[in-house]
Amino acid sequence: MFEPVLTRHINEPEAYTLDFYVRHGGYQPLRTALGMTPEAITDAVKRSGLRGRGGAGFPTGLKWSFVPKDIPKPKYLCINADESEPGTFKDHVLLERNPHLLFEGCVIACRAIGATACYIYIRGEFFHLQEQLEAELVKARAAGYVGRNILGSGVDCDIWVHRGAGAYEAGEETALIESLEGKRAQPRLKPPFPAVVGLYGCPTVVNNVETICNVPVIIEKGPEWFAAIGPEKNSGPKLFCVSGHVKKPGVYEAAMDVTLRQLIYDYAGGIREDRAIKAIIPGGSSTPVLLPDQLDVQCSFDGLVAAGSMLGSAAIIVMDETTSMVWAAKNLIHFYKHESCGKCTPCREGVDWLYNILDKIERGDGEGRDIDLLLSVCDNIGGKTLCPFGDAEIAPVLSTIQHFRAEYETYIRTGESPVHSDFRADEPVAAH
Amino acid sequence: MSFHPQMPYGEGWHKSERATAEPGPPFAFSAEHRAQLEELCTHYPPERRKSAILAALYLVQAQQGYITGNAMRHVAEVIGCTAADVEDVVTYYVMFFTRPVGTYVLQVCRTLSCALNGAEQVTAALCRHLQVAPNQTTADGMFTVMEFECLGACDRAPVVMVNNEHWHECQRPEDVAGLVDGLRTGGLASLSTCHLVKERT
């Protein structure tokens, strides 16, 4: 039986406070880590098998090891708390209920990569969390866990919270760095990678909130304990966000051998009014949809790739039988159209075209050639942009056409949606 | 540095002062906001004050509600960059308003999880109740209704963000009159706020 690790105490009112955290063993791993060499910390994280929780699933220890040791420049750690992938709300829980776990992970990670400053880049919309985070940071600093000469070890590491201002693209690591430098959140050409040339031209590691929250756990319980949780190469506790047409939407912690069926029916209580599932987005809006006959797929990085999708940010959006797939694709393309940073032409122009075609179909003016046109536009976006945004924005269109082409065809032929959705407005207000 | 090797660019030549936003009334930070900004600048290396641009722009909004051309010039001066650098940022991020907005800006999340839980109906009900279209402000200047993309509260859908800093969750279309009345009479204190703690304990 899996015991929650990251969210063990989240239901207790005082869980976010320094007193509570220390009383439950908090900041002990930091003491351990201060007695370890940076190489030993990185090695422990490597052996744990921890993979990045932000979306790509890149091995965290390996990422840290790319930071050059012999460069005299300062080094930086940036925490990606720009949680913006549609359907994702896991980092919110950690930031709100377990901030000291994040701070502790930051200091340990900074020690591993040789950084003395860490910026937590929090999305502008999470202002209500920022106030509390900063208040807790002040306490951690006063108690000597953060700042100068941490716990008398001679190690310095300060943490600052930096507020974004509403840009999905800031979740991409080089765009996050640009935004932190006070510019538009637009991605950089890679290489050079941030590990060598990142924030202010210095070596930088960008890690997701959940990723860093796993670091103190690895130090406390050991990499072998961590690696034994879940399937091989998909180790450790994982937070899953379940939303959409489920009875109990929420953040659920499980090992990555959990199946979609368990998450949707056991954890999230099943589908509202016990309806049938039509489609599931397993890892945030950028991941291809899955069908109800794939419910027994394992929700791990590798399990979902094998099923033709991705774990992404583990944001599971469930759509019941009354959902129009053309509408769902249009909803998500509206998001991408709004959020495209505009730097690469295929993404910026292509997403507008996708939206216009989907809008035309939805208005009842679709033509037979529109489906092939959508596919062709997608083909001209995928793999042709600086960052993965281009690949992300075509996923909802490609996968809904792949699995629900007949629905698109019916919609185009009859001029109206084959399904009636009771959650929609009779007359939606104009989007712009 | 110059953009063309043959051009006689001197000091300041390549610094654009272009700013297309309406200048608006004269603007300067209040002493309190200026002090807050200087404190925020200490979070970054001394030569990297530009990192505080977003924070400076939030302070502009706190002071005069929206960001004007004069405000951009002032921020440029205080930060030590060009007005074009500031405008570049202002026009990119969605949380900066470049025109006057209502006392309460109601931003309804419209992305998939909220939409699956009735966000379209919430926006339609709000617009009907306040007799405005999205992005419009009521005649009394109290409310602006906007649609917003994923706020990251999909388990408490549909969610409404008020004035960039406050949340109201699990909004039902039939309750929008209550939301509006609550704001009129009780102000921001009437919002549900982020209620994870309450719900879990």
Side-chain angles (χ1 to χ4, degrees):
Chain A
M1 182 59 197
F2 177 80
E3 287 282 328
V5 181
L6 307 176
T7 59
R8 186 169 33 156
H9 296 300
I10 57 165
N11 292 333
E12 294 171 52
E14 301 302 313
Y16 69 94
T17 61
L18 179 62
D19 283 353
F20 184 98
Y21 187 68
V22 171
R23 217 164 46 239
H24 289 80
Y27 288 113
Q28 281 306 323
L30 174 62
R31 289 178 204 274
T32 311
L34 288 171
M36 294 165 74
T37 62
E39 292 74 21
I41 299 172
T42 306
D43 186 57
V45 173
K46 272 187 186 167
R47 282 189 289 129
S48 75
L50 173 64
R51 293 170 71 172
R53 293 341 194 194
F58 193 80
T60 305
L62 190 60
K63 195 176 199 176
W64 291 0
S65 68
F66 294 152
V67 175
K69 301 277 174 291
D70 46 0
I71 290 186
K73 291 178 181 175
K75 299 174 184 72
Y76 292 102
L77 174 69
C78 298
I79 302 302
N80 188 341
D82 188 62
E83 184 164 69
S84 304
E85 177 77 10
T88 315
F89 42 96
K90 63 186 179 63
D91 297 338
H92 189 293
V93 172
L94 293 171
L95 292 163
E96 182 197 342
R97 306 302 296 155
N98 217 345
H100 288 285
L101 182 65
L102 174 64
F103 301 154
E104 184 171 16
C106 289
V107 178
I108 298 174
C110 280
R111 167 130 177 91
I113 63 169
T116 52
C118 166
Y119 292 101
I120 299 175
Y121 185 100
I122 190 167
R123 66 179 297 191
E125 295 87 340
F126 283 0
F127 179 74
H128 54 283
L129 298 180
Q130 188 180 350
E131 285 184 312
Q132 180 183 300
L133 272 179
E134 289 184 331
E136 291 304 314
L137 252 181
V138 168
K139 290 180 199 156
R141 216 174 268 137
Y145 299 120
V146 173
R148 293 201 154 271
N149 190 18
I150 293 171
L151 298 173
S153 64
V155 173
D156 295 341
C157 175
D158 219 332
I159 301 176
W160 306 106
V161 183
H162 180 100
R163 185 185 183 195
Y168 169 73
E169 183 58 16
E172 197 276 340
E173 60 178 5
T174 58
L176 182 146
I177 290 169
E178 286 281 297
S179 182
L180 199 45
E181 291 182 359
K183 295 180 263 180
R184 292 182 159 221
Q186 292 185 317
R188 293 176 179 172
L189 182 65
K190 292 188 269 192
F193 289 92
V196 182
V197 182
L199 181 63
Y200 308 136
C202 302
T204 303
V205 167
V206 184
N207 280 145
N208 175 261
V209 170
E210 187 189 347
T211 311
I212 287 295
C213 285
N214 277 299
V215 171
V217 177
I218 293 168
I219 300 297
E220 182 194 347
K221 307 208 178 203
E224 290 72 24
W225 177 88
F226 191 91
I229 298 175
E232 205 188 340
K233 294 185 179 160
N234 293 269
S235 58
K238 180 80 194 83
L239 302 186
F240 294 91
C241 323
V242 191
S243 70
H245 288 150
V246 290
K247 287 179 185 163
K248 291 193 297 178
V251 174
Y252 300 105
E253 184 173 346
M256 281 187 267
D257 52 8
V258 71
T259 63
L260 267 181
R261 186 185 304 280
Q262 287 170 321
L263 284 167
I264 295 170
Y265 286 95
D266 299 344
Y267 288 84
I271 312 304
R272 60 169 192 156
E273 294 169 28
D274 296 320
R275 296 183 193 189
I277 295 178
K278 183 163 183 178
I280 310 124
I281 293 175
S285 62
S286 311
T287 61
V289 300
L290 295 178
L291 299 178
D293 63 7
Q294 292 171 293
L295 276 174
D296 292 310
V297 61
Q298 195 179 64
C299 286
S300 62
F301 291 104
D302 299 331
L304 282 162
V305 167
S309 192
M310 281 182 292
L311 179 65
S313 57
I316 299 163
I317 305 176
V318 184
M319 293 175 271
D320 76 15
E321 56 196 325
T322 67
T323 313
S324 156
M325 285 299 122
V326 177
W327 169 82
K330 185 186 143 183
N331 180 283
L332 291 177
I333 290 300
H334 186 284
F335 170 83
Y336 287 109
K337 175 169 122 77
H338 184 263
E339 300 292 348
S340 174
C341 83
K343 186 162 183 164
C344 308
T345 311
C347 168
R348 182 189 67 237
E349 303 299 316
V351 74
D352 259 11
W353 294 346
L354 291 178
Y355 182 79
N356 289 341
I357 301 165
L358 287 166
D359 185 50
K360 183 177 132 199
I361 297 175
E362 224 213 348
R363 283 199 318 265
D365 298 331
E367 298 168 76
R369 63 194 178 110
D370 285 343
I371 297 177
D372 286 335
L373 186 55
L374 283 170
L375 294 174
S376 167
V377 173
C378 288
D379 187 44
N380 281 289
I381 300 172
K384 296 180 176 65
T385 54
L386 278 181
C387 83
F389 191 110
D391 297 330
E393 73 189 12
I394 62 175
V397 177
L398 287 181
S399 65
T400 52
I401 293 179
Q402 183 194 343
H403 297 305
F404 299 96
R405 191 172 180 123
E407 187 178 326
Y408 273 84
E409 285 166 349
T410 309
Y411 208 136
I412 290 170
R413 197 176 57 251
T414 63
E416 55 189 51
S417 175
V419 290
H420 173 73
S421 313
D422 59 5
F423 51 84
R424 298 200 52 200
D426 297 333
E427 281 179 51
V429 290
H432 286 291
Chain B
M1 188 197 90
S2 71
F3 293 121
H4 191 288
Q6 268 109 61
M7 287 292 287
Y9 289 110
E11 179 61 31
W13 267 70
H14 61 277
K15 288 203 168 188
S16 169
E17 286 302 319
R18 186 190 66 96
T20 53
E22 285 292 318
F27 182 89
F29 278 127
S30 65
E32 185 199 347
H33 285 148
R34 180 62 197 265
Q36 275 181 36
L37 179 61
E38 290 305 322
E39 193 280 319
L40 286 162
C41 285
T42 64
H43 298 185
Y44 311 97
E47 70 280 16
R48 303 290 181 178
R49 287 170 65 87
K50 206 177 159 192
S51 282
I53 282 192
L54 298 185
L57 292 169
Y58 278 121
L59 289 171
V60 171
Q61 286 198 164
Q63 192 166 316
Q64 74 167 22
Y66 70 110
I67 298 168
T68 56
N70 281 337
M72 290 183 209
R73 284 176 193 279
H74 182 67
V75 168
E77 233 168 72
V78 173
I79 292 284
C81 62
T82 69
D85 287 334
V86 180
E87 189 190 13
D88 198 39
V89 169
V90 171
T91 51
Y92 182 81
Y93 295 92
V94 299
M95 292 174 71
F96 296 132
F97 305 127
T98 49
R99 58 189 175 81
V101 287
T103 312
Y104 301 112
V105 186
L106 309 174
Q107 303 174 95
V108 186
C109 178
R110 70 174 308 284
T111 317
L112 194 56
S113 292
C114 279
L116 290 169
N117 285 288
E120 254 181 31
Q121 295 170 350
V122 171
T123 308
L126 263 178
C127 288
R128 208 164 40 238
H129 185 73
L130 292 168
Q131 296 187 305
V132 289
N135 298 331
Q136 280 183 347
T137 302
T138 52
D140 60 1
M142 281 286 273
F143 297 97
T144 306
V145 180
M146 287 183 187
E147 291 188 294
F148 208 86
E149 297 290 354
C150 193
L151 281 162
C154 319
D155 54 341
R156 290 148 281 151
V159 62
V160 183
M161 182 170 72
V162 182
N163 294 3
N164 287 346
E165 273 89 31
H166 308 272
W167 280 23
H168 190 69
E169 300 171 337
C170 305
Q171 178 64 51
R172 311 307 313 174
E174 56 272 26
D175 298 333
V176 298
L179 168 65
V180 169
D181 290 347
L183 283 168
R184 272 192 211 281
T185 54
L188 293 166
S190 67
L191 299 173
S192 77
T193 72
C194 183
H195 70 187
L196 270 180
V197 189
K198 262 187 270 171
E199 189 170 89
R200 291 210 172 101
T201 52

